[in-house]
Amino acid sequence: HLSIRRQRQMCIRDSHGSVATLPETFRAAYSEWLPAAGLMPIDAVEFEYTGERFLGPMHPDSVVELYIPLSA
């Protein structure tokens, strides 16, 4: 399920499951989801947020928020 929220020129994408899936989630965000939504990422720092929904690096129910900077 795709969940993109735009906030201050940032795309926020939830990644569910083990942190081993993060590279694939980033790849899909840049090559599929952002282009399909008509959004353009910029060359800036992207980051991951592990808040209260993060249950551990290998936990199948963990959620990591990916923040990807967008052009205005």
Side-chain angles (χ1 to χ4, degrees):
H1 178 262
L2 176 62
S3 173
I4 294 180
R5 299 182 308 255
R6 189 169 173 180
Q7 197 175 57
R8 292 191 181 192
Q9 265 80 79
M10 296 291 282
C11 170
I12 305 168
R13 169 73 169 111
D14 288 347
S15 179
H16 298 265
S18 163
V19 296
T21 65
L22 287 175
E24 175 58 23
T25 303
F26 271 111
R27 185 209 58 77
Y30 279 96
S31 66
E32 298 171 23
W33 303 321
L34 292 177
L39 301 172
M40 178 66 76
I42 59 172
D43 186 20
V45 176
E46 61 192 25
F47 63 93
E48 303 156 12
Y49 174 72
T50 54
E52 60 198 33
R53 298 186 301 159
F54 183 71
L55 306 174
M58 301 309 286
H59 198 288
D61 296 326
S62 273
V63 177
V64 176
E65 291 179 5
L66 310 180
Y67 286 73
I68 302 171
L70 303 171
S71 64

